[in-house]
Amino acid sequence: MNATTSWFGPLDRKQRRALFAIGPTSVLAGIIVALLMAPLTVAVGGAAKVGSETIMDLPADLVLPAAPKASVLYAADGETPIATFGDQYRVDLTAEEIPETVRDAVVAVEDERFFEHNGVDPRGVMRAAVTNMGSGEASEGASTITMQYVRQVLAYTAASPDEVAAATEVTPDRKVKEMGYALALEKEMTKEEILTGYLNTVYFGHGAYGIGAAARTYFNKTTDELTRDEAALLAGLVKNPNLYDPISGSTEAATKRRNHVLERELANDFISQSEYTSYTLRDIELDPHEDDGDQGGAIDSEYGFFVDYFERWWSQQEDFGASPEQRRARLDRGGYEIISTLDLDMQEAAEEAIEENIATGESFALGSAAVEPGTGAIQTMAINRNYSLDISDNGDNTGGPGKGTYPNTTNPLLSGNSDASGFQAGSSFKLFTQIAALEQGYTLDTSIYSPFRYPTGYAVGDDGPASCGGFWCPKNAVSSMHGTFNMWSAFGQSINTYYVQLIERIGAEKVVDVASRMGIKFRAAKDRSLADDPGGWGQFTLGVSDTTAVDLASSYAVLAADGMYCSPMPATEITTGKGDTTVVEPECRRALDTEISRAALDAARCTTGYGAVTGKCGGGGTASDMARQVGGPVAGKTGTSDEDRTSWFAGFTPNTAVSTFTGDPDQPNRTIPRKWRGASVDVSTQVLRESWDNNPEGSFTPPESHIR
């Protein structure tokens, strides 16, 4: 026999019937099936090899995984859902919840001998073989309900698009494997279990997987409310949901397909002739209902920026899979119940404070993030933006042509990525210079005369207002700010020229190292380049580097945690679809010596009006009314970049560290209007007050050293 000769050429009809009587459970039948499904151009020897290897290697105790289920993310209270993850809309039903009308319709049109065969239908195989020989191609013929169920589950449990394609490709090898699994599956499950599993997983179009979802999607009904003709319409969709779609497709095609299903029901004695006539005369009356199908994670969540951060965090956790694609697939299909760190009371307080200051729709962004010291748990992520892909009605980009980022965006403005590096941090970065100096033996009462303007030894070129003969020559905020200051007074009043002299004395590389240890990421290319060789980066002390609200809040949380840095985390507890619960442990490391941390914190109390314990602040801080408004221990630092282009506050109570920024994402060099320059302090104050009101426990421990 050559490669173009039909396998069945020498056999007559009686011989072929006798051959199939051997039974599809044998290895020989598996080989024959592979040949039957092969196109005429496939060599017989090759097909036989595929078939024999595939069938012989099948496990005897095959048990398929459960059908996929969406995962749910809850707020920190463990009760309020804030997002659902899943690429399929599903309503799982028990066998008792699936009515006879549905079972009859699906069996009649998809596999009328379902209750007679053992997973593979010999008659169907024969019919498909004849068709294949006539067309010269391998088709999808002969698929029983059991085989279709196998294919669905293999596709659903695939970890990547390539694995999905491999599970559904039309090849002899895949078809033979499918048959083998079907035979094995019928030994493990009853017909009722297989049919129920099939009806809970098969796709009906419009994002509806399973008959429960389909009944809701097309008719806004539960399955027990479906009429016989409605059940027939849904059963008819399985073969080709797009072609027979009655919602957005052809009603004529949908009606014709429904009537074909009813015809098959009549032929199988599921309905009478009079019923058939009555049902086929009915018009299709739909009541589309697709709201329940919104399972898009961050896109469909009210807390999109937080949920987006969670999604990216999940994709990085190696415990959830070997690759980001596999981890995401498990989130979408694993039925996890996840308790997040999002504190709804604090989130609401942050959102209200933001709207009171700079409402959603304005071009300037006002965003805030809060974390828990000692754990890194992200308590809030709020911003005057909607997390949405729809920018059709957005305002003009303030930095150039096209649409701006307001009011809708999916840019991670609070947490950053390679494309969103954040905003210049301003004086909030003075903290890192102060800590580096303390580590080098300087004490809190180190006094330095600080003039209004100070010429440094850092070369910057001849251009720009901060250049003096080619060297960096920064100045204080106002001309009256000059004199002798120590760490308490300089930090509280934000004296630029004090910290410029301090970084000159200790070296910029030590300051950058402190910032890195405390969790600052360098996402902008210009910042990464300077951070790699920071010796001449004196400007770092005044916050010329970009940062994000999450990073800055996490770095300031180090002081509240006695020197421990904890990576930001968005979840505390994960329960699998099988009911196994895992507690997410904080990832913490020591970033600072405890006494160094306590000394830096003592100076940071001067900013907020809470007052230092071991020294005198020497005047009002730049956020001097904050302590009174919060009503408890609070410390921190304001930050403003040149020409008021960005504005920050970063600070903390014993239980919460917050960071809030104001700036224009489209044009970062744009000056903030005067009316909004206090917004970052105001929002931070309200978040910290809400936190302290909810948990008024804890205190700051004063240092025992680093004071002369």
Side-chain angles (χ1 to χ4, degrees):
M1 186 184 301
N2 59 42
T4 59
T5 301
S6 167
W7 174 259
F8 281 99
L11 302 178
D12 60 24
R13 183 179 301 173
K14 184 176 181 179
Q15 288 172 319
R16 292 197 296 270
R17 186 180 299 115
L19 182 61
F20 274 101
I22 295 173
T25 57
S26 68
V27 173
L28 177 61
I31 300 173
I32 294 171
V33 167
L35 297 172
L36 289 174
M37 305 315 298
L40 294 178
T41 56
V42 175
V44 170
K49 184 175 185 293
V50 169
S52 62
E53 288 181 351
T54 301
I55 296 295
M56 292 293 286
D57 291 342
L58 284 174
D61 57 346
L62 174 67
V63 178
L64 291 179
K69 294 182 179 179
S71 298
V72 180
L73 182 67
Y74 295 90
D77 60 14
E79 298 178 354
T80 307
I82 61 173
T84 303
F85 305 94
D87 51 11
Q88 302 159 0
Y89 169 35
R90 181 185 314 285
V91 179
D92 284 336
L93 302 174
T94 64
E96 292 74 20
E97 292 173 316
I98 300 175
E100 186 177 51
T101 54
V102 170
R103 294 168 180 269
D104 289 348
V106 171
V107 169
V109 75
E110 290 295 322
D111 187 2
E112 61 186 4
R113 283 180 293 279
F114 172 70
F115 291 102
E116 300 170 16
H117 62 65
N118 58 353
V120 178
D121 183 5
R123 294 190 209 174
V125 173
M126 175 69 76
R127 184 174 61 250
V130 173
T131 301
N132 293 343
M133 285 188 292
S135 66
E137 297 179 353
S139 73
E140 273 298 296
S143 287
T144 64
I145 283 177
T146 308
M147 291 165 61
Q148 291 182 55
Y149 179 47
V150 167
R151 189 185 318 144
Q152 291 158 18
V153 176
L154 291 178
Y156 295 158
T157 55
S160 70
D162 289 342
E163 290 184 21
V164 173
T168 57
E169 63 182 346
V170 184
T171 64
D173 183 45
R174 196 272 301 160
K175 178 64 75 172
V176 173
K177 287 182 180 180
E178 196 174 277
M179 290 181 177
Y181 276 102
L183 294 171
L185 184 64
E186 292 245 357
K187 295 180 180 180
E188 300 290 337
M189 298 174 66
T190 67
K191 289 286 187 180
E192 182 179 74
E193 290 171 338
I194 293 171
L195 184 57
T196 300
Y198 173 80
L199 287 170
N200 273 324
T201 56
V202 71
Y203 185 54
F204 289 88
H206 279 280
Y209 283 76
I211 190 63
R216 178 68 66 185
T217 296
Y218 290 95
F219 299 108
N220 198 15
K221 291 182 177 182
T222 58
T223 53
D224 62 328
E225 296 173 326
L226 293 171
T227 61
R228 175 74 69 168
D229 57 302
E230 290 170 344
L233 183 143
L234 295 180
L237 293 173
V238 172
K239 183 176 182 179
N240 193 327
N242 292 328
L243 179 61
Y244 303 120
D245 179 5
I247 295 178
S248 56
S250 168
T251 303
E252 180 180 354
T255 302
K256 185 176 180 180
R257 179 63 178 169
R258 178 202 67 180
N259 292 348
H260 170 71
V261 175
L262 291 167
E263 181 182 348
R264 299 311 307 153
E265 290 192 64
L266 174 64
N268 283 275
D269 296 325
F270 292 146
I271 59 175
S272 66
Q273 180 65 52
S274 61
E275 288 176 316
Y276 168 76
T277 301
S278 173
Y279 292 134
T280 55
L281 291 175
R282 292 185 181 182
D283 293 331
I284 295 176
E285 296 182 3
L286 302 172
D287 184 10
H289 183 84
E290 299 189 46
D291 293 343
D292 292 344
D294 293 336
Q295 297 187 8
I299 289 296
D300 292 318
S301 173
E302 181 182 348
Y303 308 98
F305 292 95
F306 176 85
V307 177
D308 171 69
Y309 185 90
F310 167 80
E311 291 175 348
R312 288 183 284 128
W313 172 84
W314 178 282
S315 295
Q316 296 168 1
Q317 305 306 304
E318 294 182 359
D319 289 345
F320 302 148
S323 67
E325 293 78 15
Q326 187 179 79
R327 296 160 200 158
R328 181 61 203 225
R330 289 183 176 176
L331 178 63
D332 286 337
R333 305 168 184 179
Y336 292 94
E337 292 192 348
I338 306 149
I339 299 178
S340 79
T341 58
L342 189 70
D343 186 308
L344 292 181
D345 290 338
M346 289 178 59
Q347 179 74 14
E348 182 179 359
E351 291 175 351
E352 289 180 354
I354 287 170
E355 288 299 311
E356 289 171 1
N357 280 272
I358 307 179
T360 299
E362 297 286 353
S363 58
F364 276 90
L366 176 58
S368 182
V371 303
E372 182 179 47
T375 68
I378 300 175
Q379 298 168 311
T380 68
M381 288 181 70
I383 191 170
N384 61 341
R385 296 289 192 270
N386 304 314
Y387 191 88
S388 173
L389 292 168
D390 182 9
I391 63 170
S392 57
D393 293 327
N394 274 18
D396 293 334
N397 191 308
T398 60
K403 295 288 188 180
T405 60
Y406 58 98
N408 297 341
T409 186
T410 57
N411 292 344
L413 299 176
L414 294 163
S415 55
N417 61 14
S418 58
D419 297 320
S421 59
F423 293 87
Q424 286 194 354
S427 292
S428 64
F429 269 30
K430 289 173 181 172
L431 174 68
F432 308 127
T433 302
Q434 184 133 302
I435 290 171
L438 290 167
E439 289 182 337
Q440 295 306 306
Y442 287 82
T443 56
L444 288 170
D445 51 3
T446 297
S447 296
I448 302 175
Y449 176 76
S450 305
F452 167 63
R453 189 164 192 163
Y454 177 79
T456 73
Y458 295 109
V460 294
D462 295 329
D463 297 332
S467 176
C468 297
F471 290 90
W472 185 43
C473 192
K475 60 185 179 181
N476 294 324
V478 294
S479 60
S480 60
M481 296 176 70
H482 59 83
T484 300
F485 298 87
N486 56 31
M487 290 190 186
W488 290 294
S489 59
F491 199 80
Q493 297 173 54
S494 197
I495 306 300
N496 292 340
T497 57
Y498 180 92
Y499 288 94
V500 169
Q501 294 180 77
L502 207 55
I503 197 172
E504 272 193 321
R505 296 183 184 187
I506 61 176
E509 66 279 359
K510 292 184 174 60
V511 178
V512 172
D513 175 64
V514 167
S516 298
R517 289 184 352 235
M518 294 177 69
I520 295 299
K521 310 292 191 301
F522 300 102
R523 295 184 175 85
K526 62 178 179 61
D527 294 339
R528 287 196 301 272
S529 177
L530 288 166
D532 288 341
D533 185 17
W537 200 10
Q539 299 94 323
F540 184 79
T541 191
L542 299 187
V544 296
S545 177
D546 291 348
T547 193
T548 68
V550 171
D551 284 355
L552 196 58
S554 299
S555 69
Y556 269 70
V558 171
L559 300 189
D562 265 352
M564 297 298 294
Y565 170 78
C566 299
S567 298
M569 70 176 195
T572 59
E573 190 174 284
I574 300 171
T575 301
T576 69
K578 296 180 180 180
D580 300 324
T581 298
T582 299
V583 174
V584 181
E585 298 293 341
E587 296 182 2
C588 301
R589 57 175 169 75
R590 179 156 294 283
L592 303 177
D593 174 81
T594 300
E595 278 297 299
I596 294 286
S597 175
R598 290 175 178 176
L601 190 158
D602 199 55
R605 295 163 60 138
C606 290
T607 302
T608 64
Y610 191 59
V613 174
T614 59
K616 294 182 178 180
C617 294
T622 53
S624 59
D625 196 42
M626 181 176 280
R628 181 190 65 79
Q629 294 186 57
V630 170
V634 60
K637 184 73 185 73
T638 55
T640 304
S641 64
D642 287 345
E643 300 179 16
D644 294 301
R645 294 166 179 169
T646 59
S647 175
W648 287 88
F649 178 84
F652 50 89
T653 66
N655 305 313
T656 293
V658 67
S659 176
T660 306
F661 74 90
T662 307
D664 183 353
D666 299 332
Q667 187 180 348
N669 290 332
R670 189 175 169 214
T671 297
I672 302 170
R674 184 174 298 276
K675 63 180 178 179
W676 290 336
R677 292 179 190 173
S680 296
V681 171
D682 185 61
V683 171
S684 297
T685 300
Q686 295 192 49
V687 171
L688 293 176
R689 181 172 61 206
E690 177 69 24
S691 171
W692 187 250
D693 286 346
N694 290 342
N695 183 20
E697 301 291 336
S699 60
F700 296 148
T701 303
E704 296 180 356
S705 59
H706 300 284
I707 309 160
R708 246 196 312 263

